[in-house]
């Protein structure tokens, strides 16, 4: 074997062992992992398989015995196949990472990449018969063929698609995140171009390993630390979150309404007491709810709140329920704070009041909960000018992301009302 062969084998074994160390470090971390971390481990696993397969191809080539004969063919086939799969798995990671930023990116890029990957693998299978990419000669040595460049171009096209995704959503990423993700695209593309024109240098999968190291250092370690910190903060703040939803003014106003109804309409006063106790029970139940609850339960808690507010504001507050889809889970105290915000800061600020609509919808991929009001609206880019800290919605966003990988998006404009949409992926909303 030539010196360059030994160098290639050494580098690829080193890269494979490095990837295994990354996998071990992540696996020994928190047992509760986000989808993003699972996908990153998958990227590392496929990268390890590619490196060891390529090392085996170099190790056994040129040996005429029967075992080496099959190892060279199997190893080279796995290098091409796993190489394409690695691109698709990285696209899954990239889309999931960008989706976690609240961008609303669809899974279409992932589906496109898997389609291209399957097509590329089919061509590799065909190449085993017509040798359009490579040929294993009688000396059991790998030889490139005239159409080898197509196999490299397929990989470059897939990388360019990932690059397009990254460029389109770059404004949602920090400089460190953008650098780490871009490295996984730029370095492998450069390595592909080198390998396409210079035979005998195996730098592609070393480039992917270096890129994975960039992601590990710049992104994944920070993501894991942030996730663990959020879990701790979530546990510590559960009581504070619950108490923050029971505003003293709401309690005083509700009790005043009940007191007045006791004199004018005892039957309605009894109903108001039922709603009041139901509302308090919903807040207290959230203390023991360590995981998402059925949406119907959260909706019932919200109804109690709205019934009390309707008794207080009368015809100034109209409520419409359009919730045909309820077969999913949602973190407790997420819908009610959004509704309360819409009532307090939107509808009742108008002299004539307005209408609040709660609607749900579902697809095979996600469930959505939409809260719409025709109140005074606001500019989401400007802080509230009332001198108060508004952390309720921030808490809701954090708990939706942490517990369900869900996204809360809010659209509003002064004088045009507000629309808040919770999007819960089906794979977590039903668990």
């Amino acid at each position: 074997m030539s010196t360059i062969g030994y160098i290639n084998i050494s580098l690829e074994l080193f890269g494979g062992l490095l990837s295994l160390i990354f996998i071990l470090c992540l696996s020994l971390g928190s047992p509760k992992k986000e989808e993003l971390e699972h996908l990153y481990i998958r990227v590392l696993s496929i990268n390890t398989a590619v490196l060891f397969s390529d090392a085996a191809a170099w190790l056994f080539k040129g040996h005429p015995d029967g075992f080496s004969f099959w190892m060279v063919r199997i190893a080279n086939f796995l290098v091409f196949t796993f190489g394409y799969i690695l691109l698709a798995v990285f696209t899954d990671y990239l889309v999931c990472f960008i989706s976690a930023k609240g961008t609303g990116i669809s899974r279409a890029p992932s589906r496109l990449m898997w389609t291209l990957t399957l097509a590329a693998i089919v061509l590799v299978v065909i190449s085993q018969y017509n040798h359009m990419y490579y040929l294993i000669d009688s000396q059991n040595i790998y030889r490139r063929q005239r159409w080898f460049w197509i196999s490299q171009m397929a990989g470059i096209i897939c990388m360019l698609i990932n690059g397009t995704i990254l460029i389109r959503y770059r404004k949602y990423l920090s400089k460190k995140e953008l650098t780490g993700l871009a490295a996984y695209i730029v370095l492998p593309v450069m390595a592909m171009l080198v390998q396409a024109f210079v035979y005998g240098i195996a730098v592609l999968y070393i480039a992917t390993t270096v890129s994975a190291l960039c992601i590990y250092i710049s992104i994944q370690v920070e993501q894991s630390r942030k996730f663990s910190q959020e879990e701790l903060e979530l546990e510590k703040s559960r009581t504070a979150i619950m108490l923050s939803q029971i505003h003293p003014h709401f309690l005083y106003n509700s009790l005043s309404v009940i007191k007045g109804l006791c004199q004018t309409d005892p039957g309605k006063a009894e109903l108001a007491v039922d709603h009041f106790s139901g509302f308090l029970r919903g807040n207290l139940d959230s203390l023991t709810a360590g995981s998402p609850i059925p949406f119907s339960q959260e909706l019932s808690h919200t109804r109690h709140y709205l019934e009390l507010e309707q008794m207080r504001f009368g015809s100034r507050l109209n409520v419409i329920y359009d919730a045909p889809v309820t077969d999913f889970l949602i973190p407790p105290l997420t819908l009610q704070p959004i509704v309360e915000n819409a009532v307090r800061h939107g509808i009742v600020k108008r002299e004539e009041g307005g209408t609040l609509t709660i609607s749900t919808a579902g697809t095979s991929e996600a469930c959505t909960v939409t809260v719409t009001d025709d109140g005074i609206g606001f500019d989401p880019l400007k802080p509230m000018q009332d001198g108060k800290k508004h952390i309720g919605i921030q808490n809701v966003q954090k708990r939706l992301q942490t517990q369900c990988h869900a996204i809360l998006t809010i659209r509003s404009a002064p004088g045009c009302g507000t629309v808040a949409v919770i999007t819960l992926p089906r794979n977590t909303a039903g668990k």
Side-chain angles (χ1 to χ4, degrees):
M1 185 185 297
S2 64
T3 302
I4 191 68
Y6 285 114
I7 293 175
N8 287 335
I9 292 173
S10 300
L11 286 175
E12 290 181 331
L13 289 177
F14 174 75
L17 291 173
L18 193 61
S19 294
L20 286 176
I21 292 173
F22 292 162
I23 295 171
L24 184 62
C25 290
L26 292 171
S27 300
L28 293 178
S30 171
K32 184 178 180 182
K33 301 184 186 303
E34 291 183 298
E35 181 186 5
L36 195 63
E37 194 163 346
H38 283 296
L39 287 172
Y40 182 69
I41 292 175
R42 201 174 302 167
V43 168
L44 291 175
S45 300
I46 301 298
N47 187 67
T48 304
V50 173
L51 287 166
F52 286 157
S53 297
D54 204 32
W58 279 94
L59 182 64
F60 290 101
K61 83 170 187 174
H63 298 283
D65 60 279
F67 181 74
S68 297
F69 174 88
W70 287 110
M71 284 301 299
V72 168
R73 284 155 178 78
I74 293 172
N76 278 286
F77 175 77
L78 291 179
V79 167
F80 278 83
T81 302
F82 281 133
Y84 291 126
I85 293 175
L86 181 61
L87 293 171
V89 173
F90 176 72
T91 304
D92 289 341
Y93 176 85
L94 180 62
V95 170
C96 181
F97 189 91
I98 294 175
S99 176
K101 299 293 184 179
T103 61
I105 184 175
S106 72
R107 296 286 176 174
S110 291
R111 290 193 290 267
L112 172 61
M113 190 63 73
W114 277 106
T115 301
L116 294 175
T117 296
L118 292 175
I121 292 174
V122 169
L123 291 177
V124 174
V125 173
I126 294 174
S127 179
Q128 306 307 299
Y129 300 96
N130 64 9
H131 309 298
M132 58 189 237
Y133 287 165
Y134 64 89
L135 170 69
I136 310 297
D137 65 16
S138 59
Q139 301 299 315
N140 206 28
I141 295 177
Y142 170 94
R143 304 285 185 187
R144 290 181 182 176
Q145 299 300 296
R146 62 180 299 185
W147 300 110
F148 172 80
W149 63 272
I150 295 178
S151 67
Q152 301 297 288
M153 288 304 299
I156 292 174
I157 290 172
C158 290
M159 283 295 189
L160 290 176
I161 292 174
N162 285 336
T164 302
I165 296 171
L166 197 58
I167 291 172
R168 180 178 178 183
Y169 294 96
R170 66 186 183 281
K171 64 181 180 180
Y172 298 98
L173 306 173
S174 68
K175 186 177 294 185
K176 184 183 291 187
E177 292 168 342
L178 187 61
T179 301
L181 294 170
Y184 204 92
I185 298 171
V186 175
L187 293 182
V189 168
M190 293 173 62
M192 283 182 185
L193 292 173
V194 170
Q195 286 195 176
F197 296 102
V198 182
Y199 182 70
I201 300 179
V203 294
L204 173 58
Y205 302 114
I206 296 300
T208 61
T209 305
V210 173
S211 304
L213 176 62
C214 292
I215 292 178
Y216 185 81
I217 293 174
S218 62
I219 297 176
Q220 202 57 49
V221 172
E222 178 65 19
Q223 287 288 322
S224 299
R225 185 198 64 77
K226 183 179 177 182
F227 177 69
S228 300
Q229 184 177 351
E230 286 179 350
E231 283 288 302
L232 181 62
E233 289 178 353
L234 178 66
E235 189 67 28
K236 288 182 177 180
S237 64
R238 184 173 291 140
T239 301
I241 291 171
M242 183 276 292
L243 293 174
S244 71
Q245 305 306 317
I246 309 178
H247 298 288
H249 289 299
F250 174 74
L251 297 181
Y252 300 152
N253 292 331
S254 297
L255 291 172
S256 297
V257 169
I258 293 171
K259 178 182 177 182
L261 289 174
C262 286
Q263 300 174 352
T264 60
D265 192 339
K268 199 170 182 180
E270 182 179 354
L271 182 61
V273 170
D274 289 338
H275 287 305
F276 189 67
S277 63
F279 174 77
L280 294 179
R281 191 182 306 113
N283 280 281
L284 294 173
D285 287 346
S286 69
L287 284 174
T288 58
S291 58
I293 61 175
F295 174 74
S296 56
Q297 183 177 334
E298 177 70 6
L299 182 61
S300 175
H301 178 232
T302 304
R303 281 180 181 269
H304 289 309
Y305 165 77
L306 287 172
E307 289 287 348
L308 289 169
E309 291 291 62
Q310 283 185 296
M311 290 181 182
R312 176 186 172 195
F313 294 109
S315 60
R316 292 182 61 206
L317 176 59
N318 301 306
V319 180
I320 298 175
Y321 297 97
D322 179 21
V325 179
T326 58
D327 60 334
F328 59 92
L329 304 181
I330 191 170
L333 289 177
T334 49
L335 176 62
Q336 188 273 329
I338 296 173
V339 168
E340 183 173 347
N341 251 30
V343 173
R344 294 178 60 205
H345 301 295
I347 293 176
V348 300
K349 295 290 185 178
R350 294 177 60 190
E351 185 176 349
E352 67 275 23
T355 300
L356 176 81
T357 302
I358 301 174
S359 58
T360 63
T363 66
S364 59
E365 295 185 349
C367 299
T368 58
V369 182
T370 305
V371 178
T372 307
D373 72 76
D374 56 0
I376 62 171
F378 66 99
D379 186 347
L381 300 179
K382 293 183 179 180
M384 300 289 282
Q385 302 297 325
D386 55 3
K388 300 178 182 178
K389 290 185 177 180
H390 297 270
I391 62 172
I393 296 302
Q394 293 178 5
N395 284 331
V396 169
Q397 289 175 321
K398 285 185 178 179
R399 286 183 288 125
L400 282 168
Q401 172 61 33
T402 302
Q403 297 186 36
C404 293
H405 305 296
I407 300 171
L408 171 62
T409 56
I410 299 177
R411 302 189 303 272
S412 185
C416 297
T418 303
V419 179
V421 182
I422 301 174
T423 304
L424 302 104
R426 273 288 187 186
N427 60 342
T428 55
K431 293 183 181 179

